[in-house]
Each structure stands twice: as C-alpha cells, then as structure tokens.
Amino acid sequence: MSKSVLILGALSDVGTALARRFAQSGHSVVVAARQTEAAQNLAADIAIRYGTAAKAVYFDALAYDSHADFWAQLSPQPDIVIAVFGYLGNQEEAARNFAEAQRIIHTNYTGAVSILNIAAQSMEQAKSGCIVGISSVAGERGRQSNYIYGSAKAAFTAYLSGLRNRLAHSGVHVLTVKPGFIATKMTEHLNLPPLLTASPQQVAEDIFRAVQRRRNVIYTLWMWRWIMLIIKLIPEGIFKRLKM
C-alpha cells in the first residue's frame, strides 16, 4: 500500500535519492527544505517522472519554534518521516570557534530532536508510523578528525535508541541509519576510499529496504559494522596515539 513519506532535508544528495526511491515505489512524497524554489523543482520532477503525488514545503531544522506549526500544517500527516538533514562542518574551526561547534551540534542533534519529538507524539497517538534517523558511524567512537560532529551523531544515535524503545509499545517503527563515507556535495573536498564509499543511491536503497523489513539499525555500506567494531575494540591506550 502506498504511504506518504516526509523527507526533512530533501535537497541533500541522500535526501533527493530517498525521495526518488520512495516515489519510484508509488509512495507520495513531501520534500522539505529551506530552499523553496529548488524543493518545488524537485517535487515537480518527481511527480512527472514517477506519476505520484509530490509537493514541497519549507522547513528549517534550526527554527525550533516553527516545528509544531510545520507538523500541524502537513495534510495528510506522513506515514514515514525521514530526518536526513545534517552539517559536517569544519572540525578545526569548531575547535577554535564555538559558533561553528554550536551549528554542528544544533543541526545534527537539537534540530532533529525538536521535530522528531513532535512526529513521535503524533505517531504514538495514531499507533502507527515510521521514523528514520540518519546518524553516522562517526558517532561510534570519537576521533580527532571529526569528534564534534561525531559527538552530535552519538547523541542522535542514543536518542533514536530510546525513541525506538518507547514507541515499540505503540507499534511505531524507528530505524537508525549509520552511513560510512558517502560521495556527496558535503564530502566532495575529501579524498575518500572508493571501496568504502557509497553513492547516495546505494544508501537510499538500503534505507528503503530496511523500512520495508522494519529493521532497527543498519550500517551502509554493510562492511562499516565490522570496521567500526574493530575500531571500538582498540584499547584506549593505543587509540589515543593513533591519528584518525
């Protein structure tokens, strides 16, 4: 049965790939982003390309006071909510300038909690729905190269775990997604290893399948589960001497 899917941060590479993947399967999609014109163009393209309902709405992850009204104005209320938005930021800048650290933390954690708390309350009352949060393997263990971004994602992972524990009693599905490297605009300045780097389409496909199968936690690409297990098992005395 087709469902309504809300993509928060739909203009990211992964967000756009997700919108196309769900629309391809007959779901109606709502693409939410700050760039209204670009979101409207994406929705129009999806509607024509896949023959499904698609519309664009304005959404700002950091405008917390607007989130309750944003949710109330959605009609119909979405069956599936996917929080894709994020901000990698600059670790060196964040270590010097708290404004950059604050932007990383609030975009990746506070903004997500603000809107997903509202979605969770609504779905819990309806006793149905699905919430997908895009976290990161960076939240598995703090590393000097991105520990502020990683700490925000670690918090988001813990939030999703608790939310899943709470909403399981209402039949609401919560999926935590832990991507490794993804070839996107956000990482195009980085020299990423090809074998460990997924395309946005690969990540979208993994998420689509995980929603259908009601999985709890997935890594994408799959080998990141084992890579992060090894990294987590490195004793702290050795780990602190490594440059990662």
Side-chain angles (χ1 to χ4, degrees), residues 19-20 29-31 35 69 76 84 91 106 108 113 122-124 138-141 144 146 162 171:
R20 295 188 185 283
V29 296
V30 178
V31 293
Q35 300 91 338
D69 287 341
V84 191
Q91 172 63 38
H106 286 341
N108 293 296
V113 171
S122 175
M123 290 182 175
E124 188 173 39
E140 299 275 287
R141 190 168 190 177
Q144 62 179 293
N146 64 358

Side-chain angles (χ1 to χ4, degrees), residues 91-92 137-138 140-150 181 190 193 196 224 226-244:
Q91 172 63 38
E92 292 183 5
V137 297
E140 299 275 287
R141 190 168 190 177
R143 294 176 291 120
Q144 62 179 293
S145 60
N146 64 358
Y147 62 86
I148 293 179
Y149 172 80
F181 300 137
L190 303 176
L196 299 180
W224 280 100
W226 308 110
I227 292 170
M228 295 315 300
L229 176 62
I230 293 169
I231 289 176
K232 285 188 290 185
L233 289 175
I234 298 173
E236 191 66 24
I238 296 174
F239 189 77
K240 70 181 183 181
R241 296 186 180 91
L242 302 177
K243 288 188 175 296
M244 301 181 72

Side-chain angles (χ1 to χ4, degrees), residues 49 116 218:
R49 191 183 297 268
L116 293 186
I218 63 165

Side-chain angles (χ1 to χ4, degrees), residues 35 54 58 95 115 126 158 170 180-181 186-187 203 208 213 215 224 236:
Q35 300 91 338
Y58 178 84
I115 184 62
S170 303
F181 300 137
M186 192 166 71
T187 61
V203 174
F208 179 80
R213 297 170 184 173
R215 298 277 302 278
W224 280 100
E236 191 66 24

Side-chain angles (χ1 to χ4, degrees), residues 28-87:
S28 63
V29 296
V30 178
V31 293
R34 287 180 301 171
Q35 300 91 338
T36 306
E37 184 175 352
Q40 289 172 339
N41 290 339
L42 174 61
D45 179 76
I46 287 173
I48 294 171
R49 191 183 297 268
Y50 303 105
T52 188
K55 67 179 180 181
V57 294
Y58 178 84
F59 174 75
D60 184 345
L62 300 183
Y64 317 128
D65 291 344
S66 70
H67 289 176
D69 287 341
F70 166 82
W71 183 265
Q73 291 171 11
L74 294 172
S75 180
Q77 298 272 283
D79 301 294
I80 302 170
V81 176
I82 307 179
V84 191
F85 58 83
Y87 176 59

